[in-house]
Amino acid sequence: MANRVRFFDTTLRDGEQTPGVTFHLNEKVDFAKRLDKLGVDVIEAGFAGSSKGDFEAVSAISRAVNTGVCSLARCTEADIRACADALKEAKKPRIHVFIATSPVHREAKLHMDRQQVLEAAVRCVSLAKSLCSEVQFSAEDATRTELDFLYEIYTAAANAGATILNIPDTVGYATVQEYGDLVADIHKKVVGTREDIILSTHCHNDLGLAVATSLEGLRRGARQVECTINGLGERAGNAALEEIVMGLRTRKDYYGLEDNIRIKEIYRISRLAAGMSGMEVSPGKAIVGANAFVHQSGVHQHGVLNNRATYEIMKPEELGIPQGSMVLGKLSGRHALREHAMELGFQLTDHELNRAFNKFKELCDRKKDVTDRDVMAICREQMHGVAGSYTMNSFQIFSGNKMTSTATVSLQKGPEIITRADCGDGPVEACFRAVDQITKRKCSLESYQLRAVTEGEDALGEVTVRVRYQELVMLGKGVSTDVIEASCLAYLNAVNRILEALEEQKQPGESC
Ligand code: KIV
Ligand code: ZN
């Protein structure tokens, strides 16, 4: 058996099923390019048959990257044809056909018996194979499916042309050992001597075991692992890519497996996924959490100072985690910022660079040391921006513990500056209401997160908000050393996205 593991990233498909998360088309394309840079073998770009937005995302990503691009399809002709159309320009296209196989899904969801599920799987894999050179088949809820039926359906799918057989632990039910046994059994009974077939893991984290089950699946014969950045995904999420790759690398002595991931990109893509999804990584999260390499106790600090290997099994700099060095100063120019942003993985357009540079200059006046982490936060904010119709001109607040907070906000739209005042429960709410008055849209705040980018009193605050207007929910991002300003900018960013989406809805859409 070959020992190379293929990484299949499904952040843009299963990851987008995280409650409350939707990605913008531009964000998806940027993220896919970053995944390409990370070295993943396949990007699951969406579910082309499910919506016009997903169809467009699969098409745009197919054009934008060189690595494999996959689109998910239910077992229907319409879904499979939509995948084939959306993948037309992909360099390495793949259609991923799935159907549920467990008794509870067959009875309660599909209302089909085993024979009907089997026939549908064969029919759809055959159709997919006639339209695309590479076909993957998943038996949804495989870990709660009768073993004999699983062997039968995987064998039939392979005979119909599927060369990647994915084994989803859809509800994170399997124990680590059970999952490993299942992979080994399917390998023995279905794959046998067929070298063209690859088994794949797809594990959910309902019992906190997704990474462990994935690694065990790889140890027992799978050669593709499906995962998401930061473990994003439905309910408790999917297996986290960064944890799997570092598990394989750190314990190569145990797994003996190879992969093509460029681990230097891990931190950057993790921050991008957190920013894009609005799902901040918990500080204690393995590999990319803020505390993952922090040594608090004196004994540990002493040990690490003598020899890092005492308490560190990985090197943070190898994962691209900035080490807090001072990078640019007051006298640095636009060119230096562009170069440095590029080193950190941000390719800014001229417009983004101009805005980032203004922000950087402001920051140099407000903050003693500008570090890599500050530059990354500024770049993320700019890349999250839209060519919004409103920009922040100024704001003023009047607030205290025994009074109603009021805010006066001035926004610029074209040449016009519009100023409104409003009050609220605290200065942040007062600012948001004043923005609503100017834009004439009564939006509501669904979530608000504030994160300090670096340590210290002059740290940059990065605010992420989720804002609703009728059916539209958009994420916004703002960065400043002043948390009220960061909040206002984040809210305005989300509102600009809402306005842009409303504008797009007015235009007649193309049909897919
Ligand atoms: O969890 C699951 O079963 C899935 C399939 C569609 C592969 O995401
Ligand atoms: Zn899944």
Side-chain angles (χ1 to χ4, degrees), residues 427-463:
V428 170
E429 194 193 38
C431 284
F432 292 177
R433 286 195 176 164
V435 169
D436 282 355
Q437 278 208 46
I438 296 173
T439 60
K440 300 196 178 71
R441 297 284 190 298
K442 177 87 197 80
C443 298
S444 59
L445 184 68
E446 297 232 315
S447 72
Y448 175 94
Q449 275 174 27
L450 168 64
R451 171 179 165 270
V453 173
T454 49
E455 299 76 28
E457 283 172 8
D458 59 356
L460 265 187
E462 187 173 32
V463 172

mmCIF file of all heavy atoms in Angstrom, residues 427-463:
data_model
loop_
_atom_site.group_PDB
_atom_site.id
_atom_site.type_symbol
_atom_site.label_atom_id
_atom_site.label_comp_id
_atom_site.label_asym_id
_atom_site.label_seq_id
_atom_site.Cartn_x
_atom_site.Cartn_y
_atom_site.Cartn_z
ATOM 1 N N PRO A 427 -22.083 52.556 24.366
ATOM 2 C CA PRO A 427 -21.624 53.332 23.203
ATOM 3 C C PRO A 427 -21.614 52.540 21.898
ATOM 4 O O PRO A 427 -21.839 53.104 20.836
ATOM 5 C CB PRO A 427 -20.203 53.744 23.602
ATOM 6 C CG PRO A 427 -19.798 52.811 24.684
ATOM 7 C CD PRO A 427 -21.037 52.382 25.388
ATOM 8 N N VAL A 428 -21.376 51.229 22.001
ATOM 9 C CA VAL A 428 -21.317 50.425 20.769
ATOM 10 C C VAL A 428 -22.697 50.384 20.128
ATOM 11 O O VAL A 428 -22.857 50.652 18.930
ATOM 12 C CB VAL A 428 -20.772 49.000 21.073
ATOM 13 C CG1 VAL A 428 -20.930 48.099 19.875
ATOM 14 C CG2 VAL A 428 -19.316 49.074 21.520
ATOM 15 N N GLU A 429 -23.709 50.110 20.948
ATOM 16 C CA GLU A 429 -25.065 50.045 20.388
ATOM 17 C C GLU A 429 -25.488 51.413 19.842
ATOM 18 O O GLU A 429 -26.135 51.514 18.790
ATOM 19 C CB GLU A 429 -26.069 49.548 21.436
ATOM 20 C CG GLU A 429 -27.376 49.163 20.774
ATOM 21 C CD GLU A 429 -28.510 48.951 21.745
ATOM 22 O OE1 GLU A 429 -28.616 49.700 22.740
ATOM 23 O OE2 GLU A 429 -29.303 48.035 21.514
ATOM 24 N N ALA A 430 -25.101 52.469 20.561
ATOM 25 C CA ALA A 430 -25.465 53.821 20.093
ATOM 26 C C ALA A 430 -24.865 54.078 18.706
ATOM 27 O O ALA A 430 -25.538 54.614 17.815
ATOM 28 C CB ALA A 430 -24.981 54.852 21.101
ATOM 29 N N CYS A 431 -23.605 53.656 18.524
ATOM 30 C CA CYS A 431 -22.959 53.835 17.206
ATOM 31 C C CYS A 431 -23.707 53.041 16.132
ATOM 32 O O CYS A 431 -23.961 53.541 15.030
ATOM 33 C CB CYS A 431 -21.515 53.340 17.239
ATOM 34 S SG CYS A 431 -20.415 54.456 18.069
ATOM 35 N N PHE A 432 -24.047 51.795 16.452
ATOM 36 C CA PHE A 432 -24.715 50.942 15.453
ATOM 37 C C PHE A 432 -26.045 51.575 15.031
ATOM 38 O O PHE A 432 -26.412 51.570 13.861
ATOM 39 C CB PHE A 432 -24.965 49.542 16.008
ATOM 40 C CG PHE A 432 -23.710 48.726 16.251
ATOM 41 C CD1 PHE A 432 -23.786 47.453 16.815
ATOM 42 C CD2 PHE A 432 -22.456 49.215 15.913
ATOM 43 C CE1 PHE A 432 -22.649 46.696 17.030
ATOM 44 C CE2 PHE A 432 -21.300 48.475 16.130
ATOM 45 C CZ PHE A 432 -21.399 47.204 16.696
ATOM 46 N N ARG A 433 -26.744 52.127 16.027
ATOM 47 C CA ARG A 433 -28.053 52.735 15.686
ATOM 48 C C ARG A 433 -27.874 53.969 14.817
ATOM 49 O O ARG A 433 -28.682 54.244 13.924
ATOM 50 C CB ARG A 433 -28.789 53.101 16.967
ATOM 51 C CG ARG A 433 -29.322 51.875 17.664
ATOM 52 C CD ARG A 433 -30.320 52.315 18.681
ATOM 53 N NE ARG A 433 -30.933 51.182 19.328
ATOM 54 C CZ ARG A 433 -31.613 51.275 20.453
ATOM 55 N NH1 ARG A 433 -31.763 52.446 21.040
ATOM 56 N NH2 ARG A 433 -32.158 50.208 20.975
ATOM 57 N N ALA A 434 -26.825 54.724 15.106
ATOM 58 C CA ALA A 434 -26.571 55.920 14.285
ATOM 59 C C ALA A 434 -26.250 55.503 12.846
ATOM 60 O O ALA A 434 -26.708 56.135 11.884
ATOM 61 C CB ALA A 434 -25.435 56.741 14.888
ATOM 62 N N VAL A 435 -25.487 54.409 12.699
ATOM 63 C CA VAL A 435 -25.180 53.897 11.345
ATOM 64 C C VAL A 435 -26.490 53.490 10.655
ATOM 65 O O VAL A 435 -26.724 53.826 9.481
ATOM 66 C CB VAL A 435 -24.191 52.696 11.410
ATOM 67 C CG1 VAL A 435 -24.084 52.001 10.057
ATOM 68 C CG2 VAL A 435 -22.815 53.153 11.897
ATOM 69 N N ASP A 436 -27.366 52.809 11.394
ATOM 70 C CA ASP A 436 -28.662 52.392 10.809
ATOM 71 C C ASP A 436 -29.460 53.596 10.305
ATOM 72 O O ASP A 436 -30.104 53.532 9.270
ATOM 73 C CB ASP A 436 -29.513 51.662 11.856
ATOM 74 C CG ASP A 436 -29.068 50.227 12.072
ATOM 75 O OD1 ASP A 436 -28.162 49.780 11.346
ATOM 76 O OD2 ASP A 436 -29.614 49.559 12.971
ATOM 77 N N GLN A 437 -29.397 54.668 11.078
ATOM 78 C CA GLN A 437 -30.140 55.878 10.643
ATOM 79 C C GLN A 437 -29.591 56.385 9.313
ATOM 80 O O GLN A 437 -30.347 56.782 8.439
ATOM 81 C CB GLN A 437 -29.946 56.967 11.685
ATOM 82 C CG GLN A 437 -30.866 56.837 12.856
ATOM 83 C CD GLN A 437 -31.087 58.234 13.433
ATOM 84 O OE1 GLN A 437 -31.335 59.183 12.671
ATOM 85 N NE2 GLN A 437 -31.007 58.355 14.735
ATOM 86 N N ILE A 438 -28.275 56.371 9.195
ATOM 87 C CA ILE A 438 -27.663 56.900 7.963
ATOM 88 C C ILE A 438 -27.989 56.001 6.769
ATOM 89 O O ILE A 438 -28.346 56.481 5.689
ATOM 90 C CB ILE A 438 -26.127 57.031 8.137
ATOM 91 C CG1 ILE A 438 -25.832 58.061 9.226
ATOM 92 C CG2 ILE A 438 -25.448 57.416 6.815
ATOM 93 C CD1 ILE A 438 -24.367 58.163 9.630
ATOM 94 N N THR A 439 -27.885 54.698 6.975
ATOM 95 C CA THR A 439 -28.093 53.781 5.842
ATOM 96 C C THR A 439 -29.581 53.513 5.592
ATOM 97 O O THR A 439 -29.942 52.874 4.606
ATOM 98 C CB THR A 439 -27.387 52.429 6.081
ATOM 99 O OG1 THR A 439 -27.933 51.843 7.266
ATOM 100 C CG2 THR A 439 -25.896 52.588 6.236
ATOM 101 N N LYS A 440 -30.407 53.962 6.522
ATOM 102 C CA LYS A 440 -31.867 53.762 6.456
ATOM 103 C C LYS A 440 -32.223 52.273 6.412
ATOM 104 O O LYS A 440 -33.165 51.852 5.738
ATOM 105 C CB LYS A 440 -32.475 54.484 5.247
ATOM 106 C CG LYS A 440 -32.253 55.989 5.265
ATOM 107 C CD LYS A 440 -33.198 56.666 4.268
ATOM 108 C CE LYS A 440 -33.077 58.162 4.266
ATOM 109 N NZ LYS A 440 -31.840 58.674 3.674
ATOM 110 N N ARG A 441 -31.426 51.458 7.074
ATOM 111 C CA ARG A 441 -31.721 50.015 7.183
ATOM 112 C C ARG A 441 -31.658 49.650 8.647
ATOM 113 O O ARG A 441 -30.617 49.847 9.286
ATOM 114 C CB ARG A 441 -30.675 49.156 6.447
ATOM 115 C CG ARG A 441 -30.608 49.370 4.957
ATOM 116 C CD ARG A 441 -31.779 48.674 4.271
ATOM 117 N NE ARG A 441 -31.677 48.639 2.833
ATOM 118 C CZ ARG A 441 -31.646 49.670 2.008
ATOM 119 N NH1 ARG A 441 -31.670 50.878 2.495
ATOM 120 N NH2 ARG A 441 -31.569 49.507 0.704
ATOM 121 N N LYS A 442 -32.750 49.117 9.187
ATOM 122 C CA LYS A 442 -32.746 48.731 10.595
ATOM 123 C C LYS A 442 -32.200 47.301 10.681
ATOM 124 O O LYS A 442 -32.894 46.333 10.418
ATOM 125 C CB LYS A 442 -34.185 48.845 11.144
ATOM 126 C CG LYS A 442 -34.356 48.418 12.560
ATOM 127 C CD LYS A 442 -34.073 49.568 13.535
ATOM 128 C CE LYS A 442 -33.838 49.074 14.957
ATOM 129 N NZ LYS A 442 -32.499 48.533 15.241
ATOM 130 N N CYS A 443 -30.942 47.219 11.014
ATOM 131 C CA CYS A 443 -30.307 45.892 11.096
ATOM 132 C C CYS A 443 -30.278 45.427 12.536
ATOM 133 O O CYS A 443 -30.377 46.222 13.465
ATOM 134 C CB CYS A 443 -28.871 45.972 10.576
ATOM 135 S SG CYS A 443 -28.782 46.447 8.849
ATOM 136 N N SER A 444 -30.099 44.108 12.729
ATOM 137 C CA SER A 444 -29.943 43.631 14.106
ATOM 138 C C SER A 444 -28.636 42.869 14.246
ATOM 139 O O SER A 444 -28.178 42.222 13.297
ATOM 140 C CB SER A 444 -31.140 42.773 14.516
ATOM 141 O OG SER A 444 -31.241 41.685 13.643
ATOM 142 N N LEU A 445 -28.087 42.975 15.438
ATOM 143 C CA LEU A 445 -26.789 42.353 15.699
ATOM 144 C C LEU A 445 -27.026 40.936 16.187
ATOM 145 O O LEU A 445 -27.684 40.726 17.200
ATOM 146 C CB LEU A 445 -26.077 43.175 16.774
ATOM 147 C CG LEU A 445 -24.665 42.756 17.122
ATOM 148 C CD1 LEU A 445 -23.736 43.035 15.943
ATOM 149 C CD2 LEU A 445 -24.183 43.519 18.364
ATOM 150 N N GLU A 446 -26.481 39.951 15.458
ATOM 151 C CA GLU A 446 -26.694 38.553 15.874
ATOM 152 C C GLU A 446 -25.562 38.066 16.768
ATOM 153 O O GLU A 446 -25.764 37.241 17.634
ATOM 154 C CB GLU A 446 -26.764 37.646 14.642
ATOM 155 C CG GLU A 446 -27.915 37.976 13.757
ATOM 156 C CD GLU A 446 -28.753 36.764 13.440
ATOM 157 O OE1 GLU A 446 -28.183 35.714 13.130
ATOM 158 O OE2 GLU A 446 -29.991 36.894 13.491
ATOM 159 N N SER A 447 -24.349 38.514 16.506
ATOM 160 C CA SER A 447 -23.257 38.131 17.406
ATOM 161 C C SER A 447 -22.149 39.164 17.338
ATOM 162 O O SER A 447 -22.022 39.901 16.346
ATOM 163 C CB SER A 447 -22.727 36.744 17.059
ATOM 164 O OG SER A 447 -22.006 36.789 15.864
ATOM 165 N N TYR A 448 -21.371 39.208 18.383
ATOM 166 C CA TYR A 448 -20.304 40.211 18.511
ATOM 167 C C TYR A 448 -19.125 39.542 19.199
ATOM 168 O O TYR A 448 -19.299 38.896 20.232
ATOM 169 C CB TYR A 448 -20.831 41.365 19.371
ATOM 170 C CG TYR A 448 -19.795 42.418 19.686
ATOM 171 C CD1 TYR A 448 -19.670 43.553 18.900
ATOM 172 C CD2 TYR A 448 -18.948 42.279 20.787
ATOM 173 C CE1 TYR A 448 -18.717 44.529 19.199
ATOM 174 C CE2 TYR A 448 -17.992 43.248 21.084
ATOM 175 C CZ TYR A 448 -17.884 44.364 20.290
ATOM 176 O OH TYR A 448 -16.943 45.321 20.572
ATOM 177 N N GLN A 449 -17.955 39.660 18.610
ATOM 178 C CA GLN A 449 -16.753 39.088 19.238
ATOM 179 C C GLN A 449 -15.633 40.104 19.196
ATOM 180 O O GLN A 449 -15.397 40.707 18.158
ATOM 181 C CB GLN A 449 -16.237 37.907 18.425
ATOM 182 C CG GLN A 449 -16.883 36.588 18.735
ATOM 183 C CD GLN A 449 -16.370 35.547 17.756
ATOM 184 O OE1 GLN A 449 -15.274 35.643 17.231
ATOM 185 N NE2 GLN A 449 -17.186 34.549 17.508
ATOM 186 N N LEU A 450 -14.956 40.238 20.312
ATOM 187 C CA LEU A 450 -13.794 41.142 20.364
ATOM 188 C C LEU A 450 -12.586 40.307 20.746
ATOM 189 O O LEU A 450 -12.652 39.513 21.687
ATOM 190 C CB LEU A 450 -14.043 42.223 21.422
ATOM 191 C CG LEU A 450 -12.829 43.074 21.799
ATOM 192 C CD1 LEU A 450 -12.322 43.893 20.629
ATOM 193 C CD2 LEU A 450 -13.197 44.025 22.952
ATOM 194 N N ARG A 451 -11.512 40.482 19.998
ATOM 195 C CA ARG A 451 -10.305 39.698 20.271
ATOM 196 C C ARG A 451 -9.109 40.642 20.250
ATOM 197 O O ARG A 451 -9.000 41.485 19.365
ATOM 198 C CB ARG A 451 -10.198 38.646 19.169
ATOM 199 C CG ARG A 451 -8.951 37.877 19.143
ATOM 200 C CD ARG A 451 -8.991 36.858 18.008
ATOM 201 N NE ARG A 451 -7.648 36.385 17.797
ATOM 202 C CZ ARG A 451 -6.767 36.930 16.969
ATOM 203 N NH1 ARG A 451 -7.107 37.935 16.203
ATOM 204 N NH2 ARG A 451 -5.554 36.459 16.882
ATOM 205 N N ALA A 452 -8.234 40.505 21.242
ATOM 206 C CA ALA A 452 -7.018 41.316 21.242
ATOM 207 C C ALA A 452 -6.013 40.628 20.332
ATOM 208 O O ALA A 452 -5.740 39.435 20.489
ATOM 209 C CB ALA A 452 -6.466 41.421 22.653
ATOM 210 N N VAL A 453 -5.484 41.367 19.344
ATOM 211 C CA VAL A 453 -4.567 40.759 18.371
ATOM 212 C C VAL A 453 -3.220 40.455 19.008
ATOM 213 O O VAL A 453 -2.605 39.429 18.755
ATOM 214 C CB VAL A 453 -4.398 41.706 17.159
ATOM 215 C CG1 VAL A 453 -3.337 41.206 16.204
ATOM 216 C CG2 VAL A 453 -5.719 41.865 16.436
ATOM 217 N N THR A 454 -2.762 41.386 19.870
ATOM 218 C CA THR A 454 -1.493 41.152 20.585
ATOM 219 C C THR A 454 -1.709 41.454 22.063
ATOM 220 O O THR A 454 -2.796 41.856 22.462
ATOM 221 C CB THR A 454 -0.387 42.088 20.054
ATOM 222 O OG1 THR A 454 -0.905 43.418 20.029
ATOM 223 C CG2 THR A 454 0.072 41.706 18.672
ATOM 224 N N GLU A 455 -0.692 41.298 22.843
ATOM 225 C CA GLU A 455 -0.796 41.596 24.259
ATOM 226 C C GLU A 455 -0.549 43.100 24.469
ATOM 227 O O GLU A 455 -0.104 43.787 23.566
ATOM 228 C CB GLU A 455 0.253 40.810 25.069
ATOM 229 C CG GLU A 455 0.135 39.297 24.975
ATOM 230 C CD GLU A 455 0.653 38.741 23.652
ATOM 231 O OE1 GLU A 455 1.549 39.384 23.049
ATOM 232 O OE2 GLU A 455 0.138 37.705 23.205
ATOM 233 N N GLY A 456 -0.825 43.580 25.679
ATOM 234 C CA GLY A 456 -0.472 44.955 26.042
ATOM 235 C C GLY A 456 -1.636 45.909 25.929
ATOM 236 O O GLY A 456 -2.639 45.636 25.269
ATOM 237 N N GLU A 457 -1.465 47.058 26.595
ATOM 238 C CA GLU A 457 -2.569 48.027 26.653
ATOM 239 C C GLU A 457 -2.859 48.668 25.306
ATOM 240 O O GLU A 457 -3.962 49.113 25.045
ATOM 241 C CB GLU A 457 -2.220 49.124 27.656
ATOM 242 C CG GLU A 457 -2.419 48.632 29.080
ATOM 243 C CD GLU A 457 -1.890 49.616 30.094
ATOM 244 O OE1 GLU A 457 -1.507 50.731 29.703
ATOM 245 O OE2 GLU A 457 -1.865 49.240 31.272
ATOM 246 N N ASP A 458 -1.837 48.748 24.464
ATOM 247 C CA ASP A 458 -2.065 49.383 23.161
ATOM 248 C C ASP A 458 -2.369 48.343 22.066
ATOM 249 O O ASP A 458 -2.212 48.603 20.889
ATOM 250 C CB ASP A 458 -0.860 50.249 22.760
ATOM 251 C CG ASP A 458 0.438 49.439 22.682
ATOM 252 O OD1 ASP A 458 0.392 48.232 23.009
ATOM 253 O OD2 ASP A 458 1.470 50.010 22.301
ATOM 254 N N ALA A 459 -2.822 47.150 22.505
ATOM 255 C CA ALA A 459 -3.079 46.079 21.525
ATOM 256 C C ALA A 459 -4.192 46.472 20.557
ATOM 257 O O ALA A 459 -5.123 47.197 20.909
ATOM 258 C CB ALA A 459 -3.486 44.801 22.258
ATOM 259 N N LEU A 460 -4.080 45.943 19.346
ATOM 260 C CA LEU A 460 -5.163 46.114 18.376
ATOM 261 C C LEU A 460 -6.326 45.223 18.788
ATOM 262 O O LEU A 460 -6.129 44.063 19.143
ATOM 263 C CB LEU A 460 -4.703 45.611 17.011
ATOM 264 C CG LEU A 460 -4.131 46.562 15.985
ATOM 265 C CD1 LEU A 460 -3.926 45.828 14.672
ATOM 266 C CD2 LEU A 460 -5.050 47.750 15.758
ATOM 267 N N GLY A 461 -7.538 45.767 18.709
ATOM 268 C CA GLY A 461 -8.722 44.940 18.943
ATOM 269 C C GLY A 461 -9.323 44.575 17.592
ATOM 270 O O GLY A 461 -9.436 45.420 16.701
ATOM 271 N N GLU A 462 -9.650 43.298 17.409
ATOM 272 C CA GLU A 462 -10.259 42.848 16.152
ATOM 273 C C GLU A 462 -11.698 42.451 16.482
ATOM 274 O O GLU A 462 -11.918 41.524 17.256
ATOM 275 C CB GLU A 462 -9.465 41.652 15.610
ATOM 276 C CG GLU A 462 -9.900 41.206 14.233
ATOM 277 C CD GLU A 462 -8.968 40.118 13.673
ATOM 278 O OE1 GLU A 462 -8.428 39.304 14.461
ATOM 279 O OE2 GLU A 462 -8.808 40.058 12.447
ATOM 280 N N VAL A 463 -12.642 43.174 15.908
ATOM 281 C CA VAL A 463 -14.052 42.883 16.203
ATOM 282 C C VAL A 463 -14.677 42.160 15.008
ATOM 283 O O VAL A 463 -14.455 42.542 13.857
ATOM 284 C CB VAL A 463 -14.830 44.184 16.520
ATOM 285 C CG1 VAL A 463 -16.326 43.914 16.626
ATOM 286 C CG2 VAL A 463 -14.323 44.790 17.816
#
